[in-house]
Amino acid sequence: MVKSGIKVASLGGGLGAVQVMQGMQSHTDDLNGIIAVTDTGRSTGIVRGLAQIPAPGDIRNALATLAFEDDSLLTRVMQHRIDAPGDPQLDGMAFGNIFIAALTQMSGSFVRAIELISEFLDVRANIYPVTEENTHICAELVDGTIVEQEFNVRRLDKAAIKRIFVQNPGATAFKPAVDALLGADLITIGPGSLFTTVIACLAFKGISQAIRDSKAVKVYICNTTTQPGQTDGYTLSDHVRQVISYLGIGVLDHVVLNSSHPSDELMALYAREKVDVLLPTSNEIHNILTMNVRPVLADVADTKSGKRALWQKQDTIRHKPELIANTLMDLMGERRALEAVD
């Protein structure tokens, strides 16, 4: 396949943004991942506390997933979770998180540690943290309560989230990440946890401003389900409305909505965990159109694999990288056709 050469900047976490990049690898060699580094849960939070570094977990997953040899020994070691039932701090720890912490201390730079591992794994993409600074996200809830740190922001059985902000107001976005957004032909946002991944990136003013200033095609890839503790009761248009609240009206060009319907059995399994599958309706399409965003309906989700048991994490219906990429390339083709007419 002859690659297009378009410059892609994918914003989000180590799963959603990386799924987009995986798919786009077949279409371009100019890939830039801008990855959230404000998590505090699970082994990532432990390493942050020990080494005082930005969250390494999503960065680790991005590097391992996009490695040229994705089944090499080093790749598998990066993703290996240590089995230490007698030590609650080590048990379930992803070795790659410790590796990133060690390289950060040895090199004196979190970014340099990412670059070194990228070289080890022969990652054919630029992986950038959204910030170099060891800061956290906070949330104001609808009842006025302020909660700090990602683990508490996504905690169950609390009031709904009103807004997200960065704990350290002086924390700046990583300049190469900003430059990647400004120079992109295509910017993708999500999929991923709405508040603790997607908006955790958009909350850095340099990031949201760069997206506004960029001439790229800007696409939000909406989640396939709600997420307990973050988007309980949300609709598709509620997701879009939240993203727009950080970017401004008229910035997003498109939102990709999955139209692939899972089985009733799979939907029931998710419903037992208070997870609602999100499917586009005529009313939702209308609501999104009123926000000056074009809804793009496409069968982009993996609705056949069934529900997975994940380590201390809520499962969702993931997107298929190749299907997302095909949809995005269709949108880029439309943009180029319009530019040719002009």
Side-chain angles (χ1 to χ4, degrees):
M1 176 186 292
V2 177
K3 296 188 178 182
S4 66
I6 63 172
K7 299 176 181 178
V8 179
S10 295
L11 184 81
L15 292 175
V18 172
Q19 288 176 318
V20 176
M21 296 173 74
Q22 275 184 296
M24 292 301 294
Q25 281 181 322
S26 299
H27 301 279
T28 182
D29 292 320
D30 199 330
L31 291 169
N32 303 274
I34 300 160
I35 307 299
V37 289
T38 48
D39 286 2
T40 55
R42 299 172 291 140
S43 68
T44 290
I46 293 171
V47 169
R48 291 196 72 179
L50 291 172
Q52 293 302 300
I53 62 173
D58 278 359
I59 292 283
R60 178 204 80 242
N61 196 67
L63 292 168
T65 303
L66 294 169
F68 184 67
E69 295 184 29
D70 59 4
D71 196 39
S72 69
L73 177 61
L74 182 55
T75 303
R76 286 183 282 124
V77 168
M78 285 282 292
Q79 298 287 60
H80 176 72
R81 292 193 180 272
I82 297 168
D83 184 14
D87 189 327
Q89 284 204 306
L90 275 180
D91 191 36
M93 173 71 68
F95 176 78
N97 290 350
I98 301 174
F99 191 27
I100 291 172
L103 283 175
T104 299
Q105 293 180 346
M106 290 173 64
S107 68
S109 167
F110 183 67
V111 169
R112 182 57 183 150
I114 296 169
E115 291 171 348
L116 288 168
I117 295 175
S118 186
E119 292 171 10
F120 295 156
L121 297 177
D122 193 17
V123 175
R124 308 292 176 89
N126 298 312
I127 302 298
Y128 300 125
V130 70
T131 184
E132 290 184 271
E133 302 187 40
N134 181 25
T135 190
H136 295 278
I137 56 167
C138 306
E140 179 187 359
L141 308 183
V142 294
D143 64 1
T145 303
I146 301 294
V147 292
E148 299 186 351
Q149 302 196 8
E150 178 263 353
F151 183 80
N152 296 314
V153 169
R154 62 178 169 87
R155 177 174 54 82
L156 303 178
D157 301 321
K158 65 177 187 313
I161 297 167
K162 181 178 180 181
R163 67 182 180 99
I164 295 291
F165 59 96
V166 179
Q167 186 180 60
N168 174 9
T172 58
F174 184 46
K175 188 177 184 304
V178 171
D179 291 342
L181 292 167
L182 290 172
D185 301 308
L186 169 66
I187 293 173
T188 66
I189 301 169
S193 299
L194 179 62
F195 288 104
T196 58
T197 297
V198 172
I199 292 174
C201 290
L202 297 178
F204 287 90
K205 292 180 181 177
I207 296 297
S208 53
Q209 187 61 52
I211 295 173
R212 284 192 286 270
D213 292 342
S214 177
K215 296 180 180 179
V217 176
K218 298 151 192 172
V219 184
Y220 171 45
I221 301 165
C222 197
N223 292 350
T224 59
T225 70
T226 59
Q227 186 172 6
Q230 294 200 49
T231 54
D232 302 274
Y234 264 46
T235 62
L236 291 166
S237 60
D238 289 331
H239 283 75
V240 177
R241 189 174 293 107
Q242 281 291 343
V243 172
I244 289 174
S245 73
Y246 292 83
L247 292 179
I249 294 288
V251 177
L252 275 181
D253 295 303
H254 311 282
V255 55
V256 175
L257 308 174
N258 170 58
S259 56
S260 180
H261 202 297
S263 67
D264 291 342
E265 292 78 10
L266 184 58
M267 292 180 71
L269 285 174
Y270 282 108
R272 289 175 196 169
E273 297 182 0
K274 299 182 179 179
V275 174
D276 298 324
V277 175
L278 298 171
L279 291 166
T281 63
S282 57
N283 187 56
E284 282 297 280
I285 292 168
H286 170 75
N287 289 341
I288 292 169
L289 284 169
T290 64
M291 299 180 218
N292 198 26
V293 179
R294 176 191 168 198
V296 178
L297 279 61
D299 292 346
V300 291
D302 180 4
T303 57
K304 306 298 183 185
S305 295
K307 195 173 181 302
R308 292 154 297 199
L310 303 179
W311 190 76
Q312 295 187 9
K313 190 171 184 178
Q314 176 70 54
D315 185 35
T316 187
I317 298 174
R318 295 188 186 181
H319 292 74
K320 281 191 172 184
E322 66 278 10
L323 299 181
I324 296 177
N326 290 341
T327 300
L328 293 172
M329 291 305 296
D330 287 343
L331 294 176
M332 291 304 295
E334 290 178 10
R335 165 64 72 89
R336 289 181 170 176
L338 288 172
E339 290 175 343
V341 172
D342 292 342

